[in-house]
Amino acid sequence: MILNESTKYTLAKTFTELAIQNDLIVKCSDASDTAKEVTTFFNTIMDTIDKETGNNH
């Protein structure tokens, strides 16, 4: 399934917010490092959410 950029952004934002709320993203002692963790999480979703996995289940 191919998603447009707006949809991907909305999904990535929502998933990232939920991950933060549920302590699924590493909290570092330095806020800058925590921001990098959040950014990595968000960008991973943006980059992969509409990619084929080869698994059609």
Side-chain angles (χ1 to χ4, degrees):
M1 169 175 37
I2 301 299
L3 304 172
N4 66 39
E5 290 300 307
S6 177
T7 300
K8 289 183 354 180
Y9 174 83
T10 300
L11 289 169
K13 181 177 181 262
T14 300
F15 292 158
T16 302
E17 289 170 345
L18 288 169
I20 291 167
Q21 292 168 8
N22 290 286
D23 296 322
L24 300 175
I25 296 177
V26 175
K27 293 179 185 171
C28 305
S29 58
D30 181 52
S32 176
D33 290 336
T34 301
K36 289 176 187 173
E37 293 289 334
V38 172
T39 301
T40 298
F41 186 91
F42 179 90
N43 287 338
T44 299
I45 294 169
M46 286 291 293
D47 293 342
T48 61
I49 197 157
D50 62 350
K51 302 291 184 225
E52 291 288 329
T53 63
N55 187 358
N56 293 328
H57 293 80

